[in-house]
Amino acid sequence: MTTARTATPSTARAINDRLALDLLLESGPLTATELRGLTGLSRPTVADLLERLQRAGLVAVVGESGEQRRGPNARLYALVADRAFLAGVDVRTTGVDLVVADLTGRTRAAATVAGADERLAERTLDALARAAREAGADRLHTVAVGAPGLFDPATGEHQNSGALSRHQTELLTALRADPRTEVTVDNEVNLAGIAEHRLGAARDRDTFVLIWLSHGVGASVVLDGRLRRGATGGTGEIGYLPVHGSGLPSGDGGCDSGGFHTLVSSAAVCDLARAHGLPVPEPAGPPTSAPLGEDVVRRAAAAGGPAVDAFLDEYARRIALGAASVCAVLDPGCVVLGGEIGRAGGDRLASRVEREIARLVPLRTEVRAGTAGGGAVLAGAVLTAGDAVRRDLFGGA
């Protein structure tokens, strides 16, 4: 026979504190009366936890509520936003974007480091330090980084997939060198998936797959509200997926020679557009400096005519080949088209892909265009860093 366990007083206090802190994070400043109504806790319990959280420097009185009589019941309590600072970093082939935010996740400073030369690490650390000073931070509690490639979910170490240059690898090493700051690194598409789930097109979904269409191709898988990374961090590496008409990819040499990537990436979009007689703009710089497929699809989605319709139909069929394979295994019920190309296609491309998936698999699947914006990776990094900071300061899972 098992004996029921009851929470110890210290455990109960920790649970109540976390509940109040989460409500203040979500709702903004609240009075003690409002906290009692939202939590169901007694007056003495709320008074005790507010005193405890003020002593810890997590909560402060920020004013009075006009709806209350003057006095203790009118005091508004809020999180102390400056209690800790965090950063999100998006590492790309064209450079680095970074944001410094406070405990509430509000952006306090931002910077861009253009190019990825031999001084990338030095220039990025300088930019991050300047942004931290601008935000008023003595130090950064946590930095979350999004970058291409595979990252071991247990150690955070980059797997040798060839996705990172030597200068980018040096940057990750340099970021991890500060013992005062916790640094987490994840695949960029995983972080974009977090942003779509919390801020974007999949806010009402606990299970969905984000298909990332850009210079490269990938996916983010969220099942039952949890991001799935797999045994080696490879969940979502659908660029390698062998699909009809794509040829076979090489596990050692990457997916440029075959696989789903060769059908739907930016280069494939440009080739398909030329085949349909559509104009393809010349790159302003190196091939990786701008995903030209984004421009092609955006123009097509805004235009009309038989050639444009034929191009979008064919591209949708290609996307559906990979998406249907994912749906047949995971049955996510919802696919979000993200990345520069997925967002550029909007509803016009998404509706075509939804129709094509329905022709291939008997699983009802809604397809949506991503709405987290061009900064989805950076937004996901800030969300991830904020979660880590609050786990440490607030306690709990």
Side-chain angles (χ1 to χ4, degrees):
M1 185 178 70
T2 60
T3 302
R5 296 182 179 180
T6 58
T8 65
S10 61
T11 300
R13 285 194 294 271
I15 293 172
N16 293 338
D17 289 356
R18 179 64 192 254
L19 177 59
L21 289 166
D22 285 342
L23 285 169
L24 290 170
L25 176 66
E26 179 181 349
S27 303
L30 297 169
T31 65
T33 301
E34 289 169 332
L35 276 171
R36 289 198 301 271
L38 291 169
T39 62
L41 299 174
S42 68
R43 182 188 298 268
T45 299
V46 169
D48 286 345
L49 74 82
L50 285 172
E51 181 181 352
R52 191 163 54 247
L53 295 175
Q54 288 179 89
R55 288 199 307 269
L58 290 170
V59 168
V61 177
V62 295
E64 293 185 343
S65 170
E67 298 176 359
Q68 301 283 345
R69 297 188 303 274
R70 295 184 64 82
N73 288 336
R75 293 172 187 161
L76 280 169
Y77 297 88
L79 290 179
V80 178
D82 291 352
R83 177 65 172 78
F85 291 87
L86 55 101
V89 179
D90 178 10
V91 178
R92 305 179 318 283
T93 55
T94 55
V96 175
D97 283 336
L98 61 90
V99 161
V100 174
D102 60 29
L103 179 60
T104 68
R106 182 168 67 93
T107 295
R108 301 286 285 268
T112 296
V113 179
D117 56 24
E118 66 277 359
R119 295 184 59 243
L120 178 65
E122 177 188 349
R123 293 188 297 120
T124 301
L125 291 182
D126 287 345
L128 187 59
R130 287 195 304 271
R133 288 194 298 270
E134 180 183 340
D138 294 329
R139 75 176 185 94
L140 296 174
H141 182 290
T142 299
V143 175
V145 183
L150 297 173
F151 295 89
D152 189 296
T155 66
E157 293 301 316
H158 182 253
Q159 309 296 301
N160 185 23
S161 65
L164 287 180
S165 69
R166 176 172 60 87
H167 306 314
Q168 292 169 323
T169 302
E170 291 170 352
L171 169 58
L172 298 185
T173 300
L175 288 169
R176 288 174 166 139
D178 188 345
R180 303 176 305 161
T181 299
E182 180 71 24
V183 176
T184 66
V185 186
D186 204 345
N187 176 268
E188 57 185 347
V189 182
N190 282 342
L191 296 183
I194 290 172
E196 290 290 358
H197 188 209
R198 305 257 294 264
L199 305 173
R203 281 176 294 178
D204 61 337
R205 293 279 185 167
D206 282 336
T207 296
F208 74 98
V209 171
L210 166 69
I211 294 183
W212 185 263
L213 301 168
S214 183
H215 178 69
V217 178
S220 177
V221 177
V222 175
L223 302 178
D224 301 323
R226 293 183 57 192
L227 177 70
R228 305 294 174 161
R229 294 180 173 86
T232 64
T235 296
E237 288 294 318
I238 61 171
Y240 292 93
L241 187 68
V243 294
H244 178 70
S246 70
L248 295 178
S250 167
D252 294 329
C255 53
D256 286 340
S257 61
F260 188 49
H261 171 94
T262 63
L263 291 183
V264 297
S265 66
S266 180
V269 167
C270 293
D271 290 341
L272 182 62
R274 294 186 187 100
H276 284 275
L278 300 181
V280 176
E282 292 298 323
T288 58
S289 64
L292 296 184
E294 173 189 2
D295 300 328
V296 171
V297 172
R298 178 178 292 109
R299 293 180 184 185
V308 166
D309 287 340
F311 163 73
L312 289 175
D313 288 344
E314 175 60 25
Y315 188 49
R317 281 193 290 271
R318 292 185 178 192
I319 296 171
L321 284 175
S325 298
V326 173
C327 292
V329 175
L330 298 178
D331 188 18
C334 179
V335 169
V336 176
L337 302 182
E340 294 88 354
I341 297 174
R343 291 193 311 274
D347 293 337
R348 195 169 176 189
L349 177 62
S351 62
R352 283 172 159 83
V353 175
E354 181 174 319
R355 184 172 62 246
E356 292 299 325
I357 292 175
R359 293 179 57 249
L360 296 173
V361 291
L363 304 172
R364 184 164 36 191
T365 305
E366 183 180 3
V367 179
R368 303 174 178 178
T371 60
V377 175
L378 197 56
V382 171
L383 290 168
T384 299
D387 290 344
V389 172
R390 290 186 285 271
R391 277 196 301 271
D392 182 32
L393 297 183
F394 294 3

